[in-house]
Amino acid sequence: MNILPQDIANELKQTGHSKARSYDQVSVMFTDFKEFTRHSEMLKPEELVAEIDFCFRKFDQIITKHKLEKIKTIGDAYLCVEGIPKIADGSVDNVILAALDIMDFMLELKEARLKENRSFF
């Protein structure tokens, strides 16, 4: 239930497999922190994990607000979609609005980290 959409997880529980699905319109958003490696070298491992966790929790809030589905995170990458598992309304507006909110959040975080004389993504 933590890594699959609820309907697919339920189908797997009930039948032991999931049938292939086709979606006519899906929008994908992929994020990656600019200069992640350089900034990560300045942080202790605990600080790095905490900072990524802080950012990704905010991303989760933002994509939930815009009705997107988180697919996964890998390192500093975050992947989400609109149109899976629920068919999208035919627009990419929610993905664009979420992307703009994420950009605003990251700019605000940058300003806060600069005031604190801390590294930022």
Side-chain angles (χ1 to χ4, degrees):
M1 296 297 276
N2 291 337
I3 61 171
L4 295 171
Q6 186 173 358
D7 62 333
I8 293 173
N10 290 336
E11 183 181 356
L12 285 169
K13 283 178 165 179
Q14 293 171 1
T15 67
H17 66 282
S18 179
K19 64 181 177 183
R21 291 167 173 80
S22 176
Y23 297 89
D24 291 329
Q25 183 150 352
V26 175
S27 299
V28 177
M29 179 171 54
F30 178 84
T31 71
D32 188 66
F33 293 124
K34 181 178 178 183
E35 299 182 10
F36 175 78
T37 302
R38 184 173 68 84
H39 291 290
S40 68
E41 291 170 348
M42 296 182 231
L43 300 171
K44 294 177 185 174
E46 302 83 20
E47 294 172 323
L48 176 63
V49 170
E51 193 71 4
I52 292 171
D53 182 62
F54 177 74
C55 291
F56 284 173
R57 286 180 188 271
K58 183 63 176 182
F59 291 9
D60 288 344
Q61 291 173 2
I62 291 169
I63 71 157
T64 297
K65 171 184 162 187
H66 293 288
K67 301 178 181 151
L68 306 180
E69 181 76 26
K70 178 171 138 181
I71 302 298
K72 69 182 338 182
T73 61
I74 303 171
D76 68 318
Y78 188 100
L79 176 65
C80 62
V81 298
E82 179 189 39
I84 300 174
K86 296 178 182 159
I87 296 172
D89 64 4
S91 73
V92 298
D93 293 352
N94 289 341
V95 175
I96 294 167
L97 293 171
L100 291 171
D101 283 354
I102 287 172
M103 288 172 51
D104 288 344
F105 164 71
M106 293 305 296
L107 288 172
E108 290 170 10
L109 185 60
K110 174 184 175 182
E111 292 299 318
R113 296 297 184 254
L114 284 171
K115 287 178 184 175
E116 299 165 353
N117 199 28
R118 291 177 54 194
S119 180
F120 58 89
F121 301 129

